[in-house]
Amino acid sequence: MNLLFVFLQAAGGGDYSFLIMMVAIFAIMYFFMIRPQNKKQKEIANFRKNLEVGQEVVTAGGIYGKIKDIEDNIIVLEIASGVKIRIDRNSIFANVANQQAK
C-alpha cells in the first residue's frame, strides 16, 4: 500500500489520473493484442486435436501434404507419391482448404 501511495504522490499529489491511464492502457492492450492471440492459439490447438487420416494440411515450414497415419504426437505425412515424412503434431499449421480460400 505504501508503494501505491508513493506512485500517487509522484504522479501529482494524490491525483488518480496516472493510475487510471495505466489501467486504460493495459485494458486496451488486453482487448486488442492478448485476447485475439489467445483465441487464435485455442483454434489451432483444437484443429490439431481433431486431425484425421486423409486430411490435407500445411506444416509450419510450408510443406503441403496428406496425413497417412496418426500416432500419439507423430504424424506421417505424404508430401509426394510414395514420399512420407514423420513430423510432430505441433508442426501442423493449417488445413489446405482453409489456406487456399484466403
Side-chain angles (χ1 to χ4, degrees), residues 14 44-45 66 69 85:
I44 291 172
K66 183 182 273 190
D69 189 26
I85 59 173

Side-chain angles (χ1 to χ4, degrees), residues 30-100:
Y30 176 77
F31 283 109
F32 287 107
M33 296 174 74
I34 299 170
R35 189 168 173 246
Q37 183 178 5
N38 287 342
K39 184 178 178 183
K40 181 79 171 172
Q41 286 176 345
K42 285 181 184 178
E43 288 175 3
I44 291 172
N46 189 31
F47 169 73
R48 288 177 181 158
K49 187 174 120 180
N50 296 323
L51 289 174
E52 299 174 352
V53 174
Q55 188 174 5
E56 293 188 2
V57 295
V58 180
T59 67
I63 299 172
Y64 286 73
K66 183 182 273 190
I67 297 176
K68 288 297 180 180
D69 189 26
I70 299 176
E71 297 168 11
D72 291 330
N73 282 330
I74 304 290
I75 304 288
V76 176
L77 195 66
E78 184 176 37
I79 57 175
S81 181
V83 179
K84 297 178 183 175
I85 59 173
R86 294 179 51 182
I87 60 171
D88 188 44
R89 180 184 292 261
N90 291 328
S91 67
I92 299 291
F93 180 69
N95 192 348
V96 171
N98 292 343
Q99 283 294 103
Q100 292 175 351

Side-chain angles (χ1 to χ4, degrees), residues 1-10 14 16 19:
M1 189 64 164
N2 290 333
L3 186 61
L4 179 62
F5 181 72
V6 169
F7 283 131
L8 291 176
Q9 288 294 327
Y16 290 106
L19 184 62

